[in-house]
Amino acid sequence: MISLIPALAFIAAIGSGLMAGLFFIFSVCIMQALSRLPPEQGIAAMNAINDVIQNPFFLSAFMGTALIGLALVIMALLSDGEGGWLLAAGGIAYVVGVLLVTIIFNVPMNDALAAAVTGQAATDLWQQRYLIDWVWWNHVRTVASIGALALFILGFART
């Protein structure tokens, strides 16, 4: 079981890197571009993105990294390897800062946006909550996934 740690750390680093890139591009580019569109167009585009992103490739990287991160937390705590605490910290950073933030904050806002497709309520939700709160929580996911990536790399180097 302990010999799996380097392989899992390597895979977790790749998964965290993929998620960091995805969240980063939303934070620095996509949401700014969507905010420049008329609200109904920005909402339609974001709803389309939210529909399309739920695919096996994304879900494998997103959820697979969380599962591997949890496994690394457990395995690192059971081993006495030098990089174990770094791998455990990476797993915790990913699960809390990416998975839980997504479930608790971003997905409910995605659902609310999908339910309020047109009208003033949708425009208000888009401008006052989504473009501010959703984007802020996406910044959290960006930083957490970059942090997890760094911790997985550092832990991998010490296994």
Side-chain angles (χ1 to χ4, degrees), residues 109-130:
M109 285 188 259
N110 292 346
D111 294 342
L113 191 67
V117 177
T118 60
Q120 190 60 45
T123 298
D124 291 345
L125 174 68
W126 176 250
Q127 292 175 332
Q128 297 170 8
R129 187 160 179 234
Y130 209 85

PDB file of all heavy atoms in Angstrom, residues 109-130:
ATOM      1  N   MET A 109     -25.242  28.215  -6.707  1.00  0.00           N
ATOM      2  CA  MET A 109     -25.403  29.405  -7.542  1.00  0.00           C
ATOM      3  C   MET A 109     -25.638  29.027  -8.998  1.00  0.00           C
ATOM      4  O   MET A 109     -26.408  29.690  -9.705  1.00  0.00           O
ATOM      5  CB  MET A 109     -24.204  30.339  -7.385  1.00  0.00           C
ATOM      6  CG  MET A 109     -24.214  31.105  -6.076  1.00  0.00           C
ATOM      7  SD  MET A 109     -22.926  32.362  -6.000  1.00  0.00           S
ATOM      8  CE  MET A 109     -21.720  31.503  -4.981  1.00  0.00           C
ATOM      9  N   ASN A 110     -24.989  27.954  -9.465  1.00  0.00           N
ATOM     10  CA  ASN A 110     -25.246  27.462 -10.821  1.00  0.00           C
ATOM     11  C   ASN A 110     -26.711  27.045 -10.957  1.00  0.00           C
ATOM     12  O   ASN A 110     -27.368  27.359 -11.954  1.00  0.00           O
ATOM     13  CB  ASN A 110     -24.353  26.267 -11.152  1.00  0.00           C
ATOM     14  CG  ASN A 110     -22.897  26.627 -11.280  1.00  0.00           C
ATOM     15  OD1 ASN A 110     -22.524  27.789 -11.372  1.00  0.00           O
ATOM     16  ND2 ASN A 110     -22.052  25.609 -11.273  1.00  0.00           N
ATOM     17  N   ASP A 111     -27.202  26.329  -9.960  1.00  0.00           N
ATOM     18  CA  ASP A 111     -28.595  25.880  -9.991  1.00  0.00           C
ATOM     19  C   ASP A 111     -29.562  27.055  -9.961  1.00  0.00           C
ATOM     20  O   ASP A 111     -30.567  27.055 -10.676  1.00  0.00           O
ATOM     21  CB  ASP A 111     -28.875  24.924  -8.825  1.00  0.00           C
ATOM     22  CG  ASP A 111     -28.106  23.616  -8.928  1.00  0.00           C
ATOM     23  OD1 ASP A 111     -27.620  23.280 -10.038  1.00  0.00           O
ATOM     24  OD2 ASP A 111     -27.980  22.929  -7.895  1.00  0.00           O
ATOM     25  N   ALA A 112     -29.275  28.056  -9.142  1.00  0.00           N
ATOM     26  CA  ALA A 112     -30.135  29.246  -9.067  1.00  0.00           C
ATOM     27  C   ALA A 112     -30.120  29.988 -10.401  1.00  0.00           C
ATOM     28  O   ALA A 112     -31.168  30.467 -10.846  1.00  0.00           O
ATOM     29  CB  ALA A 112     -29.674  30.161  -7.933  1.00  0.00           C
ATOM     30  N   LEU A 113     -28.969  30.072 -11.039  1.00  0.00           N
ATOM     31  CA  LEU A 113     -28.879  30.750 -12.325  1.00  0.00           C
ATOM     32  C   LEU A 113     -29.676  30.002 -13.390  1.00  0.00           C
ATOM     33  O   LEU A 113     -30.376  30.613 -14.196  1.00  0.00           O
ATOM     34  CB  LEU A 113     -27.414  30.888 -12.761  1.00  0.00           C
ATOM     35  CG  LEU A 113     -27.158  31.803 -13.948  1.00  0.00           C
ATOM     36  CD1 LEU A 113     -27.471  33.258 -13.588  1.00  0.00           C
ATOM     37  CD2 LEU A 113     -25.717  31.673 -14.403  1.00  0.00           C
ATOM     38  N   ALA A 114     -29.607  28.687 -13.378  1.00  0.00           N
ATOM     39  CA  ALA A 114     -30.364  27.883 -14.344  1.00  0.00           C
ATOM     40  C   ALA A 114     -31.865  28.022 -14.125  1.00  0.00           C
ATOM     41  O   ALA A 114     -32.637  28.010 -15.084  1.00  0.00           O
ATOM     42  CB  ALA A 114     -29.943  26.419 -14.245  1.00  0.00           C
ATOM     43  N   ALA A 115     -32.287  28.170 -12.883  1.00  0.00           N
ATOM     44  CA  ALA A 115     -33.713  28.291 -12.564  1.00  0.00           C
ATOM     45  C   ALA A 115     -34.258  29.674 -12.895  1.00  0.00           C
ATOM     46  O   ALA A 115     -35.448  29.822 -13.158  1.00  0.00           O
ATOM     47  CB  ALA A 115     -33.938  27.975 -11.090  1.00  0.00           C
ATOM     48  N   ALA A 116     -33.416  30.690 -12.880  1.00  0.00           N
ATOM     49  CA  ALA A 116     -33.849  32.069 -13.122  1.00  0.00           C
ATOM     50  C   ALA A 116     -33.317  32.540 -14.466  1.00  0.00           C
ATOM     51  O   ALA A 116     -32.520  33.464 -14.544  1.00  0.00           O
ATOM     52  CB  ALA A 116     -33.352  32.974 -12.001  1.00  0.00           C
ATOM     53  N   VAL A 117     -33.764  31.922 -15.528  1.00  0.00           N
ATOM     54  CA  VAL A 117     -33.177  32.136 -16.844  1.00  0.00           C
ATOM     55  C   VAL A 117     -33.477  33.517 -17.421  1.00  0.00           C
ATOM     56  O   VAL A 117     -32.635  34.109 -18.082  1.00  0.00           O
ATOM     57  CB  VAL A 117     -33.642  31.035 -17.830  1.00  0.00           C
ATOM     58  CG1 VAL A 117     -33.095  31.280 -19.217  1.00  0.00           C
ATOM     59  CG2 VAL A 117     -33.226  29.672 -17.327  1.00  0.00           C
ATOM     60  N   THR A 118     -34.643  34.086 -17.184  1.00  0.00           N
ATOM     61  CA  THR A 118     -34.997  35.357 -17.809  1.00  0.00           C
ATOM     62  C   THR A 118     -35.585  36.324 -16.786  1.00  0.00           C
ATOM     63  O   THR A 118     -35.932  35.939 -15.674  1.00  0.00           O
ATOM     64  CB  THR A 118     -36.033  35.162 -18.937  1.00  0.00           C
ATOM     65  OG1 THR A 118     -37.216  34.575 -18.382  1.00  0.00           O
ATOM     66  CG2 THR A 118     -35.493  34.283 -20.043  1.00  0.00           C
ATOM     67  N   GLY A 119     -35.703  37.573 -17.203  1.00  0.00           N
ATOM     68  CA  GLY A 119     -36.360  38.586 -16.390  1.00  0.00           C
ATOM     69  C   GLY A 119     -35.406  39.314 -15.466  1.00  0.00           C
ATOM     70  O   GLY A 119     -34.194  39.050 -15.424  1.00  0.00           O
ATOM     71  N   GLN A 120     -35.986  40.247 -14.715  1.00  0.00           N
ATOM     72  CA  GLN A 120     -35.200  41.076 -13.816  1.00  0.00           C
ATOM     73  C   GLN A 120     -34.549  40.262 -12.702  1.00  0.00           C
ATOM     74  O   GLN A 120     -33.430  40.547 -12.293  1.00  0.00           O
ATOM     75  CB  GLN A 120     -36.062  42.197 -13.214  1.00  0.00           C
ATOM     76  CG  GLN A 120     -35.257  43.237 -12.456  1.00  0.00           C
ATOM     77  CD  GLN A 120     -34.220  43.942 -13.329  1.00  0.00           C
ATOM     78  OE1 GLN A 120     -34.506  44.337 -14.454  1.00  0.00           O
ATOM     79  NE2 GLN A 120     -33.005  44.105 -12.812  1.00  0.00           N
ATOM     80  N   ALA A 121     -35.247  39.251 -12.215  1.00  0.00           N
ATOM     81  CA  ALA A 121     -34.674  38.411 -11.155  1.00  0.00           C
ATOM     82  C   ALA A 121     -33.396  37.731 -11.640  1.00  0.00           C
ATOM     83  O   ALA A 121     -32.403  37.653 -10.906  1.00  0.00           O
ATOM     84  CB  ALA A 121     -35.685  37.376 -10.684  1.00  0.00           C
ATOM     85  N   ALA A 122     -33.409  37.268 -12.883  1.00  0.00           N
ATOM     86  CA  ALA A 122     -32.213  36.629 -13.443  1.00  0.00           C
ATOM     87  C   ALA A 122     -31.084  37.645 -13.609  1.00  0.00           C
ATOM     88  O   ALA A 122     -29.929  37.357 -13.284  1.00  0.00           O
ATOM     89  CB  ALA A 122     -32.542  35.974 -14.779  1.00  0.00           C
ATOM     90  N   THR A 123     -31.420  38.825 -14.095  1.00  0.00           N
ATOM     91  CA  THR A 123     -30.416  39.884 -14.267  1.00  0.00           C
ATOM     92  C   THR A 123     -29.806  40.276 -12.925  1.00  0.00           C
ATOM     93  O   THR A 123     -28.582  40.410 -12.804  1.00  0.00           O
ATOM     94  CB  THR A 123     -31.043  41.117 -14.952  1.00  0.00           C
ATOM     95  OG1 THR A 123     -31.489  40.725 -16.250  1.00  0.00           O
ATOM     96  CG2 THR A 123     -30.037  42.249 -15.083  1.00  0.00           C
ATOM     97  N   ASP A 124     -30.656  40.446 -11.919  1.00  0.00           N
ATOM     98  CA  ASP A 124     -30.156  40.798 -10.586  1.00  0.00           C
ATOM     99  C   ASP A 124     -29.261  39.703 -10.024  1.00  0.00           C
ATOM    100  O   ASP A 124     -28.200  39.986  -9.466  1.00  0.00           O
ATOM    101  CB  ASP A 124     -31.317  41.072  -9.629  1.00  0.00           C
ATOM    102  CG  ASP A 124     -32.075  42.354  -9.974  1.00  0.00           C
ATOM    103  OD1 ASP A 124     -31.550  43.166 -10.758  1.00  0.00           O
ATOM    104  OD2 ASP A 124     -33.196  42.519  -9.459  1.00  0.00           O
ATOM    105  N   LEU A 125     -29.702  38.455 -10.170  1.00  0.00           N
ATOM    106  CA  LEU A 125     -28.890  37.329  -9.695  1.00  0.00           C
ATOM    107  C   LEU A 125     -27.539  37.330 -10.396  1.00  0.00           C
ATOM    108  O   LEU A 125     -26.498  37.176  -9.755  1.00  0.00           O
ATOM    109  CB  LEU A 125     -29.628  36.001  -9.944  1.00  0.00           C
ATOM    110  CG  LEU A 125     -28.853  34.730  -9.623  1.00  0.00           C
ATOM    111  CD1 LEU A 125     -28.638  34.600  -8.122  1.00  0.00           C
ATOM    112  CD2 LEU A 125     -29.600  33.514 -10.156  1.00  0.00           C
ATOM    113  N   TRP A 126     -27.553  37.520 -11.696  1.00  0.00           N
ATOM    114  CA  TRP A 126     -26.322  37.516 -12.486  1.00  0.00           C
ATOM    115  C   TRP A 126     -25.373  38.627 -12.057  1.00  0.00           C
ATOM    116  O   TRP A 126     -24.199  38.387 -11.779  1.00  0.00           O
ATOM    117  CB  TRP A 126     -26.675  37.645 -13.961  1.00  0.00           C
ATOM    118  CG  TRP A 126     -25.516  37.747 -14.897  1.00  0.00           C
ATOM    119  CD1 TRP A 126     -25.137  38.843 -15.610  1.00  0.00           C
ATOM    120  CD2 TRP A 126     -24.597  36.715 -15.255  1.00  0.00           C
ATOM    121  NE1 TRP A 126     -24.029  38.564 -16.384  1.00  0.00           N
ATOM    122  CE2 TRP A 126     -23.680  37.256 -16.185  1.00  0.00           C
ATOM    123  CE3 TRP A 126     -24.442  35.384 -14.881  1.00  0.00           C
ATOM    124  CZ2 TRP A 126     -22.644  36.521 -16.745  1.00  0.00           C
ATOM    125  CZ3 TRP A 126     -23.401  34.650 -15.431  1.00  0.00           C
ATOM    126  CH2 TRP A 126     -22.516  35.208 -16.349  1.00  0.00           C
ATOM    127  N   GLN A 127     -25.873  39.833 -11.982  1.00  0.00           N
ATOM    128  CA  GLN A 127     -25.015  40.981 -11.727  1.00  0.00           C
ATOM    129  C   GLN A 127     -24.634  41.135 -10.259  1.00  0.00           C
ATOM    130  O   GLN A 127     -23.517  41.543  -9.946  1.00  0.00           O
ATOM    131  CB  GLN A 127     -25.704  42.262 -12.216  1.00  0.00           C
ATOM    132  CG  GLN A 127     -25.827  42.300 -13.719  1.00  0.00           C
ATOM    133  CD  GLN A 127     -26.616  43.494 -14.218  1.00  0.00           C
ATOM    134  OE1 GLN A 127     -27.481  44.012 -13.524  1.00  0.00           O
ATOM    135  NE2 GLN A 127     -26.322  43.925 -15.427  1.00  0.00           N
ATOM    136  N   GLN A 128     -25.548  40.839  -9.363  1.00  0.00           N
ATOM    137  CA  GLN A 128     -25.302  41.123  -7.945  1.00  0.00           C
ATOM    138  C   GLN A 128     -24.765  39.930  -7.173  1.00  0.00           C
ATOM    139  O   GLN A 128     -24.109  40.106  -6.156  1.00  0.00           O
ATOM    140  CB  GLN A 128     -26.589  41.622  -7.287  1.00  0.00           C
ATOM    141  CG  GLN A 128     -27.072  42.920  -7.879  1.00  0.00           C
ATOM    142  CD  GLN A 128     -28.464  43.303  -7.405  1.00  0.00           C
ATOM    143  OE1 GLN A 128     -29.025  42.668  -6.520  1.00  0.00           O
ATOM    144  NE2 GLN A 128     -29.012  44.343  -7.991  1.00  0.00           N
ATOM    145  N   ARG A 129     -25.055  38.735  -7.621  1.00  0.00           N
ATOM    146  CA  ARG A 129     -24.603  37.575  -6.863  1.00  0.00           C
ATOM    147  C   ARG A 129     -23.598  36.741  -7.642  1.00  0.00           C
ATOM    148  O   ARG A 129     -22.531  36.411  -7.143  1.00  0.00           O
ATOM    149  CB  ARG A 129     -25.809  36.722  -6.456  1.00  0.00           C
ATOM    150  CG  ARG A 129     -25.421  35.601  -5.541  1.00  0.00           C
ATOM    151  CD  ARG A 129     -26.602  35.060  -4.756  1.00  0.00           C
ATOM    152  NE  ARG A 129     -26.139  33.970  -3.915  1.00  0.00           N
ATOM    153  CZ  ARG A 129     -26.657  32.764  -3.914  1.00  0.00           C
ATOM    154  NH1 ARG A 129     -27.698  32.492  -4.663  1.00  0.00           N
ATOM    155  NH2 ARG A 129     -26.166  31.827  -3.147  1.00  0.00           N
ATOM    156  N   TYR A 130     -23.933  36.413  -8.869  1.00  0.00           N
ATOM    157  CA  TYR A 130     -23.098  35.479  -9.623  1.00  0.00           C
ATOM    158  C   TYR A 130     -21.754  36.089  -9.994  1.00  0.00           C
ATOM    159  O   TYR A 130     -20.706  35.483  -9.763  1.00  0.00           O
ATOM    160  CB  TYR A 130     -23.847  35.031 -10.887  1.00  0.00           C
ATOM    161  CG  TYR A 130     -23.461  33.656 -11.343  1.00  0.00           C
ATOM    162  CD1 TYR A 130     -24.066  32.530 -10.805  1.00  0.00           C
ATOM    163  CD2 TYR A 130     -22.491  33.473 -12.311  1.00  0.00           C
ATOM    164  CE1 TYR A 130     -23.706  31.258 -11.223  1.00  0.00           C
ATOM    165  CE2 TYR A 130     -22.134  32.219 -12.739  1.00  0.00           C
ATOM    166  CZ  TYR A 130     -22.742  31.113 -12.186  1.00  0.00           C
ATOM    167  OH  TYR A 130     -22.385  29.851 -12.595  1.00  0.00           O
TER     168      TYR A 130
END
